[in-house]
Amino acid sequence: HFGDTVIIKCEVVKYNGIRMEIEYTICDKEAEEIRCIGKTSHCFLNKEGKIVSLKKDYPDMHQKIKIMLEK
């Protein structure tokens, strides 16, 4: 509701070097109840708008993401 304070928790639930899926849980801060759950899918694009593989084209970035997900 308008005026409510919420906490948004984000978690990467899938990553394959090309696509990443992030899940969101929105909780009411005071009642600590879940209000909404959602997810988004993302891909990585180059300057021309074409899909790129981080694993192949940007291995350093791919490794950083893999390390982050292992924690």
Side-chain angles (χ1 to χ4, degrees), residues 5-70:
T5 301
V6 296
I7 297 171
I8 302 172
K9 299 175 186 176
C10 304
E11 179 182 6
V12 176
V13 292
K14 290 183 185 176
Y15 171 74
N16 67 6
I18 298 172
R19 298 190 188 282
M20 178 184 292
E21 190 171 289
I22 302 172
E23 188 170 276
Y24 307 88
T25 304
I26 302 172
C27 300
D28 181 275
K29 185 176 180 182
E30 290 183 28
E32 297 182 9
E33 295 175 346
I34 294 174
R35 298 291 186 209
C36 183
I37 296 174
K39 63 181 172 180
T40 57
S41 296
H42 305 267
C43 62
F44 302 93
L45 306 175
N46 64 17
K47 291 180 181 180
E48 291 77 37
K50 296 187 183 205
I51 295 175
V52 298
S53 168
L54 290 187
K55 189 175 185 177
K56 181 178 130 191
D57 299 324
Y58 300 95
D60 292 343
M61 180 66 75
H62 171 74
Q63 269 310 112
K64 289 178 182 180
I65 293 171
K66 293 289 284 185
I67 290 168
M68 176 190 72
L69 293 175
E70 291 172 1

